[in-house]
């Protein structure tokens, strides 16, 4: 057994500590171990990319919701300052909610 096999075994073991992979099925030579390491690295990169995309989408949705809430807060404050009747205020709020929903689709 050569030194390359020992180094690739050490790298393989260290990668399994960061991933849900295990070393139950063990490669028997250096080529198999290098292939296993390459597959594990590709899986880690792919998983990180997917997780990053999901996180980015969630941040975008959170910012969009925060902006809509801020705009509705401005409308409510304006209606309070101008002493808009409760009935008219409810109709305006309902219309704006319906309009915002229709614009987002």
């Amino acid at each position: 057994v050569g030194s390359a096999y020992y180094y690739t075994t050490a790298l393989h073991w260290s990668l399994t500590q960061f991933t849900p992979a295990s070393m139950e099925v063990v490669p028997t030579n250096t080529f198999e171990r290098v292939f296993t390491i390459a597959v594990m690295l590709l899986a880690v990169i792919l998983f990180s990319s997917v997780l990053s995309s999901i996180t980015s989408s969630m941040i975008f949705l959170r910012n969009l919701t925060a902006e809509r809430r801020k705009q509705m807060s401005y409308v409510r404050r304006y209606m309070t300052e101008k002493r808009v009747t409760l009935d008219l205020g409810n109709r305006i709020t309902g219309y704006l909610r319906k309009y915002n929903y229709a614009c987002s689709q």
Side-chain angles (χ1 to χ4, degrees), residues 9 33 104:
T9 301
R33 188 156 315 266
S104 65

Side-chain angles (χ1 to χ4, degrees), residues 79-90:
M79 289 190 294
T80 301
E81 289 173 359
K82 299 300 179 182
R83 300 182 194 268
V84 174
T85 63
L86 183 61
D87 182 50
L88 180 59
N90 287 338

Side-chain angles (χ1 to χ4, degrees), residues 45-63:
I45 291 168
L46 185 63
F47 177 75
S48 299
S49 176
V50 169
L51 187 62
S52 172
S53 296
I54 291 171
T55 303
S56 176
S57 296
M58 292 301 294
I59 289 171
F60 174 76
L61 289 174
R62 180 179 288 170
N63 290 341

